[in-house]
Amino acid sequence: MDKISPSEITPEHLFFSRRQFLTSIGALVASSVLFSACKQQDVLSDTVTSDGCESAYASKSTDELGDDLTPCQSIINYNNFYEFTTEKEEVAYLARDFKTTPWTVKVGGLVNKPQTFDMDDLRRKFPQEERIYRLRCVEAWSMVIPWLGFPLAELLKEVEPTSKAKYVSFETLYDPEQMPGQNNRMFKWPYVEGLRLDEAMHDLTILATGIYGKSLSPQSGAPIRLVVPWKYGFKNIKSIVKIDLVEEVPVSLWMAAAPDEYGFYANVNPNVPHPRWPQSSERRIGEVSRRKTLLFNGYAEEVTHLYDGMDLRKFF
Ligand code: MTE
């Protein structure tokens, strides 16, 4: 996000006309209630790939606002994952051989029961649910994604945060041999992100392991990533290996790189312009005209109370 990449200045319709989209998504239920309609999933064996991207999926076709799901092909071919490259259209190719098994997530810091989980542990212990969320990047594009995952709160309860724990810090794998972008000295690696403990415990906050009914592919942050739908996309850290409960605000990769542009909170707010991208509107991937950005990305009812007494006009 440090500079405008060629994909950013390619008109949307040209970029997407190069992609072969599946136009029909199995639509079964038209319920407007999202969160109560979560579906238990079996352990995932299949990974999402370009072939048959949506083949296992026959759940819903819209989010709770009635917005169409973004086609799976778009979700896995237009990515921000700076560990591989800053070019959105090249991430999928460069990440194709990224090794995600075996994989462990070490959870510790200010907790009573520090533990290291492997992916099988996580899938067995925490039933996978479907959550259809809008993803809003600070670059002012957005998608609607049917994630599979489980509430982060479930994992945190398992390790028992102590009363000193105020924040949660997350880290991506550091492996410059597999992730050539980590040789880019402009950033302080590994990618780090953070949440306040109450944000982390909120039911909307999930650790995602899949999309469209299958396991995440590398470009989407396999095998496990954070999804916090009311915050800008960069908070949604990918390929997590470490989670720590801490007392002080964690300094994220973006806060370290450009503190005036990327704050800790990063709540989606159409009333607060970013120095480089207007935030009052956005382009939904696959749509021609722009749409208005919603406060907290449309989740205001669920999360506004978290920020009582705070000045939301301050950037982030
Ligand atoms: N996580 C890591 N480790 N590295 C990254 O570069 N990019 C972030 C976020 N998580 C990023 C990351 C940004 S800027 C966005 S918008 C989202 O991932 C994009 O997720 P997507 O590629 O699955 O759409």
Side-chain angles (χ1 to χ4, degrees):
M1 292 191 291
D2 53 321
K3 61 184 171 58
I4 298 178
S5 71
S7 60
E8 277 294 285
I9 51 177
T10 306
E12 198 69 49
H13 65 281
L14 293 183
F15 167 66
F16 283 102
S17 64
R18 281 185 258 140
R19 305 276 176 224
Q20 194 191 356
F21 291 147
L22 298 178
T23 50
S24 63
I25 302 166
L28 292 181
V29 193
S31 162
S32 61
V33 182
L34 167 65
F35 310 119
S36 60
C38 298
K39 219 174 89 184
Q40 298 285 321
Q41 300 286 331
D42 293 333
V43 170
L44 304 167
S45 49
D46 257 8
T47 298
V48 166
T49 57
S50 279
D51 295 337
C53 205
E54 287 156 12
S55 63
Y57 190 74
S59 186
K60 293 192 167 190
S61 59
T62 68
D63 65 9
E64 86 285 8
L65 301 180
D67 292 351
D68 288 341
L69 300 190
T70 301
C72 180
Q73 291 282 359
S74 309
I75 298 170
I76 66 169
N77 285 296
Y78 190 75
N79 299 101
N80 272 332
F81 204 166
Y82 277 30
E83 282 84 341
F84 292 98
T85 172
T86 55
E87 302 297 329
K88 292 177 181 49
E89 295 172 64
E90 290 168 19
V91 176
Y93 180 75
L94 290 173
R96 69 196 183 285
D97 294 327
F98 182 52
K99 204 167 164 286
T100 57
T101 45
W103 190 278
T104 56
V105 181
K106 191 174 176 204
V107 191
L110 301 171
V111 299
N112 291 324
K113 293 184 177 167
Q115 286 175 66
T116 298
F117 299 89
D118 69 25
M119 288 307 296
D120 284 343
D121 293 335
L122 292 174
R123 290 190 170 116
R124 227 183 347 256
K125 266 187 191 307
F126 308 109
Q128 307 292 300
E129 305 172 1
E130 178 164 275
R131 298 283 184 103
I132 298 177
Y133 287 157
R134 294 169 289 286
L135 173 79
R136 170 61 158 78
C137 181
V138 73
E139 295 161 334
W141 53 266
S142 62
M143 298 185 182
V144 181
I145 303 179
W147 299 104
L148 286 175
F150 59 91
L152 173 62
E154 298 301 318
L155 177 71
L156 296 180
K157 281 181 212 155
E158 192 78 17
V159 295
E160 294 180 10
T162 67
S163 57
K164 278 193 156 178
K166 300 283 180 291
Y167 297 91
V168 187
S169 153
F170 305 84
E171 255 182 57
T172 296
L173 177 72
Y174 180 70
D175 184 353
E177 277 192 14
Q178 285 204 81
M179 298 168 132
Q182 288 180 332
N183 295 308
N184 179 348
R185 297 276 170 84
M186 275 180 59
F187 298 104
K188 188 171 172 291
W189 305 100
Y191 199 102
V192 168
E193 259 308 336
L195 293 174
R196 222 169 54 190
L197 184 55
D198 57 346
E199 297 176 322
M201 296 298 286
H202 194 287
D203 182 57
L204 287 181
T205 304
I206 60 167
L207 287 172
T209 56
I211 59 166
Y212 270 100
K214 295 184 184 172
S215 295
L216 289 176
S217 51
Q219 63 268 36
S220 298
I224 188 161
R225 71 176 292 174
L226 182 68
V227 180
V228 194
W230 70 93
K231 291 181 178 283
Y232 289 114
F234 65 84
K235 298 292 291 182
N236 296 229
I237 180 172
K238 297 179 171 183
S239 304
I240 296 169
V241 290
K242 195 161 171 277
I243 300 177
D244 279 319
L245 282 287
V246 294
E247 205 169 353
E248 307 289 336
V249 179
V251 178
S252 69
L253 172 137
W254 288 110
M255 286 161 74
D260 298 340
E261 298 193 20
Y262 307 104
F264 174 74
Y265 283 97
N267 293 320
V268 175
N269 191 338
N271 308 314
V272 182
H274 182 277
R276 275 182 292 146
W277 298 281
Q279 299 300 337
S280 56
S281 71
E282 64 199 60
R283 57 192 174 93
R284 178 66 47 83
I285 297 301
E287 291 180 359
V288 177
S289 48
R290 293 177 79 87
R291 52 166 67 219
K292 282 193 171 163
T293 289
L294 303 173
L295 183 62
F296 291 115
N297 205 20
Y299 302 96
E301 209 175 300
E302 289 88 352
V303 301
T304 304
H305 70 274
L306 294 173
Y307 308 103
D308 281 351
M310 284 178 64
D311 182 359
L312 292 174
R313 282 166 309 170
K314 277 195 189 156
F315 185 58
F316 297 153

